[in-house]
Amino acid sequence: MIIKDIQTIEIRIPYTVLGTAKTDAWGGKHWSTADALLVRIETANGIIGWGEAFGYNSIAATKTCIESLIKPLCIDQNIENIQEFMTTLQKKLHIFGRGGPVIFGLSGIDIALWDIWAQENQSSVAQLLGGSDFREVDAYASLVRYEDPKTVSDNVKHCVDLGFEYVKLHEIDLRAITAARRADPNVRLMLDVNCPWNTDEAIDMARKFQELDITWLEEPVWPPEDHLALAKIRKEGGIPLAAGENAATLKQYETLMEAGSIDFIQPSPTKTGGISTTSEVFELAKKYNIRVVPHSFYEGPGLLAAIQTSAALSDKPLVEWRFFDCEDHLYGEEIVPKNGKMSVPNGIGLGLSPREEVISKYKV
Ligand SMILES: [Mg+2]
């Protein structure tokens, strides 16, 4: 495929959540819209591929990286092997960042190129990755931070009523987390605390969570790349750990797994290198017997990438569903979980095409 053009498109879709949500826990800005950065690639023979680079507060920086650093290296290139091409780009750009907006931007390009490659082969991305027998995957409802125990409890009950078997909290207060468990004794609860504690604090908190039957504790320690601290917390805290959305590129995942620090690994297609890196993490994780559960707190092409890779490469797919009540959806209702499951779209490429009317209505 020869790349003829690359465009970046920002969309902002208003959303609500049940109760008062603390969305300024991430990046210090309250979110009233779900902001996404779409990457549209057109080939010389007219095929359109869609990718997504990590959004929210980072969009302006990532857009600049794509337009000023990445796009000039891509235009008119004839790509025969996406992984090799992405490695070439990573080598050319490595002094500007091995994570963050540079890799977010590369992730968006990579996802769009896989979409194109699959379309050229009249197959889905999952078929390119070896095929899948799954027609649907388990979705876990990923809640924002509410802080108030009653609101946490209400939201967990609401998720269970909707059919979710798995619910992830972003709480850090023990009372709020205990309220979630009391809301339902059987729901699988995961807990993402977003790197607040030092090693001793994290061990202490992990021990307190033991009686709450937490499926995994995610990113308990600051800084997230302290893999040896994570290994110590895993050993002494006595509950399963998850991490990986803040790692990027295959080598960082290998280091994370090699350290014996986690039970679940979470590559994020829009943050870590796209479908190339995510699928490589799935392969590598087999060696360490670690379950891959992609991070996908978004619902554009990045979510489709998480579904396609999980359907093809996991024995027991589980994919994150951002629990927002969005005014509209890029892919319509088809993408929204039913009874706690997301369907694996069987169209060519990523499986679904974005709705043009949604892009034109919510484009910035
Ligand atoms: Mg997380």
Side-chain angles (χ1 to χ4, degrees), residues 53 61-66 69-70 86 89-90 92-109 248 270-271 273:
T62 304
K63 194 174 163 71
T64 301
C65 279
I66 292 173
L69 286 175
I70 302 169
M86 295 312 293
L89 293 181
Q90 282 192 27
K92 286 182 176 166
L93 296 174
H94 77 275
I95 66 165
F96 306 111
R98 298 292 293 147
V102 173
I103 303 292
F104 299 170
L106 290 175
S107 303
I109 301 289
T270 70
K271 296 177 82 178

Side-chain angles (χ1 to χ4, degrees), residues 148-168:
D148 170 49
K150 166 87 168 56
T151 311
V152 174
S153 174
D154 289 347
N155 276 288
V156 170
K157 283 180 187 160
H158 182 47
C159 290
V160 171
D161 288 344
L162 288 172
F164 286 99
E165 287 176 48
Y166 300 83
V167 175
K168 188 168 90 177

